[in-house]
Each structure stands twice: as structure tokens, then as C-alpha cells.
Amino acid sequence: MTAAEHGPRERMVFSAAQLIRRDGVASTGMREVAAHAGAPRGSLQHYFPGGKEQLVNEAVGWAGRYAGKRVARFLAALPEPTPSGLFAEMVRQWTDEYEAAGFAGGCPVAAATVDCAESTASTREAAAAAFATWTGPVARALTDMGVPEERSTALATLMISSLEGAILIARAEQDTRALTTVTRELGPLLDAAAGPAG
Amino acid sequence: MTAAEHGPRERMVFSAAQLIRRDGVASTGMREVAAHAGAPRGSLQHYFPGGKEQLVNEAVGWAGRYAGKRVARFLAALPEPTPSGLFAEMVRQWTDEYEAAGFAGGCPVAAATVDCAESTASTREAAAAAFATWTGPVARALTDMGVPEERSTALATLMISSLEGAILIARAEQDTRALTTVTRELGPLLDAAAGPAG
DNA sequence: TCGGGATTATGACCGTGGTCATAGTAGCTG
DNA sequence: CAGCTACTATGACCACGGTCATAATCCCGA
């Protein structure tokens, strides 16, 4: 989407995230990333002397920051912010994509975790950090909506867990059913936690 | 666990599932599977003429049936069956493993989905089937516990989504926090759906 | 114009891994 | 024992892909 601009380095990180979420880390080649970014192959070793591991880690970090920033946008888009409304927006990003562009891609952080959690410590840590930079804004938003502070992080984790799992199922089934289901079933629970006043 | 017995063919399928859930599909080699199963390399092309794709698909199918069968055991282990109790058992299987053996492995169905959903149609279908053979028994159990039939499948999907996502986060963080969190936060919702009579 | 750093260009190396070809062995049946 | 089928053994092929080595540009300040 927002691709052509920015330097080649940033484009490669972005492309890496795109390809990883489609094919997984192991099946994504460095040459492929450069080609997808429209960047010269020689730039790979120049910008990423740490090799594939570095590129993957930066792509995961980028994805985490992207997800974290999106939370603010979702909140801004809501007429009146509620936990269920936020969650619905988070899920809707995926249903929209799947209905518009097909089920080609999943979450790059999930892909990195599946492919690298055991083999590459630094990537596992990058994934953990990405989940944290995603959970943080969600939890903060919940607190602002009236959710008791000690439950905000827990509910944010539940939201992201459900979303990630539903993404997996939706991709496997090529059907957004799982995504719409978790939205519907989890919404009341989230709003109830914001207190009786709504 | 139940490994040494059974024929070499079944052992290879089992080993494939083990290795896939640890390293992902792409990073798991055929030779590695044979070695892990203590089976001769020559048996690979004999039992799996369809190559890696066939082996992976059978491993995914095996994992789905395994998960489905476990539901019955969980129910049997509960003094009195409740939705939250079933979910707690499902999650506990993972917390137990992670605490006892470390965070080396995730769900093989999730791994297959991440690595093959876009590239290999048959494996994607195998993953969808695995999720279905897992969701079915869970939904049936919920119905037996008093959950209205039209909500049972939805809640089963929510349970499995949350579990899958929590597995991802737990592996990334190397911490069972996400798993215990989804158990705690989702339990009351599940029991409430079983009707006021509990 | 002349460095000199930043960037790009390319070819080669080398390990990995899925698959194939070809043959060997084992065990049962007639 | 002959023969057939099931299984095992092993080496080779070939594509892919991450990385390295080496050099060519490009571009800006002095």
C-alpha cells in the first residue's frame, strides 16, 4: 500500500514482512525480498550485514509497531469507544483484507514464532517484543474505557490470542467465519469488564 | 511418548508431527523425520510416494485426530463437566508441557497453516480438516453440558482460537502467562453460556 | 577535478534437502 | 527351490538459497 516512497532499506523490511506473512520465514528468500521491494540485491548485505536473521527481526519489529499504532486509529474511528468496538475493529481489518484480497497472508509475528521460536533466539525475542508493543496500547485503551487496570493486560492478551487463533483458522478454512465468531462471542465479555456503566 | 511400538509408517507420521511443531514445515527435512522415527530412509518413498506433501498432510491429520480424541479424556477426568473445566484441561495440557519440557514445540496444525496455507492447497485443506475434527468434539461436549446447540460451535471456535493464539504468545515469551490468562478470563463466559443452572 | 564514502552489481561457493534410480534383502507362497 | 512382493539401502542429481568476495558506480564536499 504505502510502498513506493521511503528508502530502499525500509522497503525491504516492509517487503520481508509481507512475504513472511504469506509463506513463512523459511520459505522466504533474500533475493525474493529484494525483488519484491524493487531494491538491488547488493543492498541486502549493505543494509543488513546481520543477514537474514537481522532482516527477519526487523520485519517482525516493524509488524509489532504497525499493529500497536493501528490501535490509536481504531479508537479514533469509533464514535464512542468501547472494548467490544475496539476488538471489532481489530478483527475487521482482517475480514476486510480476506474478503478483498483473499486468504494469502497471515500475521507475520505468528509466522516468525512458528518458524523461529526454537531455532533462532533473537527472532523469538523479537516476536515477544512485537506482541508486547501490540498488547500495550490495547491494554491502555481498555484502561481508558474503564477496565480496571489489573485486568486490562489480561483482556488485551485474550483479545490478541483470540484474534491470532481466528486468523489461523480463517486461513485454513478460507472463510472468515472464525473471525466473525470471536468478535461476536467475545464482545459482551469485554464490555462487561468496562464496568456496569458501559 | 507412545512411540516405539506401531509400525515404522505410523512412527514416521508421528515424528513428522513432532518435528513440524518444533521447527515448522519448511525447516523439517524428510531425512530428519526418518532418523527421528528410527526408520530407514528408504521407507520414505515406499510409504509416502506422494513425497513430503503427503507426509505433512498425514501428520496434520494425525494431530487433528489426536486433539479430537483428547477431548473425551479431558471430560472423563473432570469430576463434574463444565465448559470452563474442559477449557482449563485443554490449556493445561500445554502449560504442563511447557513447564516440564520447555517451550520447544507449538501446534503442528498452526505450523502447517502458517507455512503452507498459500503454497500448498492440500495441506491447507488438511489443516482445515484438522481444526474441524478438533472443534467437533468440543462443540458436542458443550452441547451436552447445556450450551444451546447454535452457540456450541461458536464457543468451541472461540476456545480453540484463544488457545492457539495463547500458544503462540507463550512460545514467543517463553512464559505460560498467556495460557493461564485465557483460561481465567474465558472461563466465566463459557460457564454462563451453559445456562443459569450451571 | 579528485578523493572517499555510500551504494549497487555479479558471480561463485557451498550446504541443504527433496526426489529419483537402481539395486539389494527378507519373507512368504507354491 | 523359484518367484513374487514387501521393504530397505544408497548414491546421485539438481534446484534453491544464504553468504561471501570483489569490483564497479554514484555522489557529494574540498
Side-chain angles (χ1 to χ4, degrees):
Chain A
M1 309 298 175
T2 59
E5 52 277 31
H6 304 90
R9 206 199 117 101
E10 193 170 351
R11 287 208 316 274
M12 283 191 278
V13 173
F14 178 81
S15 288
Q18 297 268 102
L19 295 172
I20 286 168
R21 85 196 195 91
R22 191 205 304 268
D23 300 317
V25 172
S27 303
T28 296
M30 299 286 276
R31 293 165 172 86
E32 192 185 358
V33 170
H36 184 274
R41 183 159 80 84
S43 299
L44 281 171
Q45 64 181 300
H46 184 256
Y47 289 116
F48 306 96
K52 187 176 186 177
E53 184 171 337
Q54 181 187 357
L55 176 58
V56 169
N57 292 355
E58 294 201 22
V60 169
W62 180 90
R65 288 190 300 276
Y66 172 84
K69 283 181 197 157
R70 279 280 328 188
V71 174
R73 284 207 195 170
F74 291 149
L75 292 173
L78 290 172
E80 58 170 312
T82 61
S84 68
L86 170 59
F87 186 57
E89 286 296 309
M90 289 168 60
V91 175
R92 198 163 72 84
Q93 176 177 16
W94 290 92
T95 55
D96 283 355
E97 176 190 328
Y98 285 158
E99 278 160 8
F103 297 82
C107 170
V109 184
T113 302
V114 162
D115 276 359
C116 308
E118 181 61 12
S119 61
T120 315
S122 70
T123 303
R124 182 193 58 70
E125 286 161 18
F131 279 128
T133 60
W134 186 8
T135 309
V138 173
R140 231 163 296 139
L142 291 177
T143 303
D144 292 346
M145 292 167 184
V147 176
E149 193 144 7
E150 68 274 14
R151 261 192 94 191
S152 291
T153 300
L155 285 181
T157 299
L158 175 62
M159 289 163 70
I160 291 174
S161 292
S162 304
L163 174 55
E164 287 285 0
I167 290 169
L168 284 176
I169 297 175
R171 271 189 94 195
E173 296 184 343
Q174 300 217 331
D175 189 321
T176 56
R177 177 192 66 85
L179 288 162
T180 57
T181 295
V182 296
T183 310
R184 184 176 355 103
E185 296 295 335
L186 217 51
L189 170 77
L190 298 173
D191 284 344
Chain B
M1 313 297 177
T2 59
E5 53 277 28
H6 305 90
R9 206 199 119 100
E10 194 170 351
R11 287 208 315 275
M12 283 192 279
V13 173
F14 178 82
S15 288
Q18 297 269 102
L19 295 172
I20 287 169
R21 86 196 194 93
R22 189 204 308 265
D23 300 318
V25 172
S27 302
T28 296
M30 298 285 275
R31 293 167 173 84
E32 192 186 358
V33 170
H36 184 275
R41 183 158 80 82
S43 298
L44 281 170
Q45 64 182 297
H46 182 71
Y47 289 116
F48 306 97
K52 186 175 188 177
E53 184 172 337
Q54 181 187 356
L55 177 58
V56 169
N57 293 355
E58 294 201 22
V60 170
W62 180 90
R65 287 191 301 275
Y66 173 83
K69 284 180 197 159
R70 281 265 351 177
V71 174
R73 282 207 197 172
F74 291 148
L75 292 173
L78 290 173
E80 60 171 312
T82 61
S84 68
L86 171 59
F87 186 57
E89 286 296 309
M90 289 168 61
V91 175
R92 199 162 71 85
Q93 176 177 16
W94 290 91
T95 54
D96 283 354
E97 176 190 328
Y98 285 157
E99 278 160 8
F103 297 83
C107 171
V109 184
T113 302
V114 162
D115 276 359
C116 307
E118 181 60 12
S119 61
T120 315
S122 71
T123 303
R124 182 194 57 70
E125 287 160 17
F131 279 127
T133 61
W134 186 9
T135 310
V138 173
R140 230 163 298 139
L142 292 177
T143 303
D144 291 347
M145 292 168 185
V147 176
E149 193 144 6
E150 68 274 15
R151 261 192 95 192
S152 291
T153 300
L155 285 182
T157 298
L158 175 62
M159 289 163 71
I160 292 174
S161 292
S162 305
L163 174 55
E164 287 285 359
I167 289 168
L168 284 176
I169 297 174
R171 271 189 95 194
E173 296 184 344
Q174 299 216 334
D175 190 320
T176 56
R177 176 191 68 84
L179 287 163
T180 57
T181 295
V182 296
T183 308
R184 183 176 357 101
E185 296 295 335
L186 216 52
L189 170 76
L190 297 173
D191 284 342

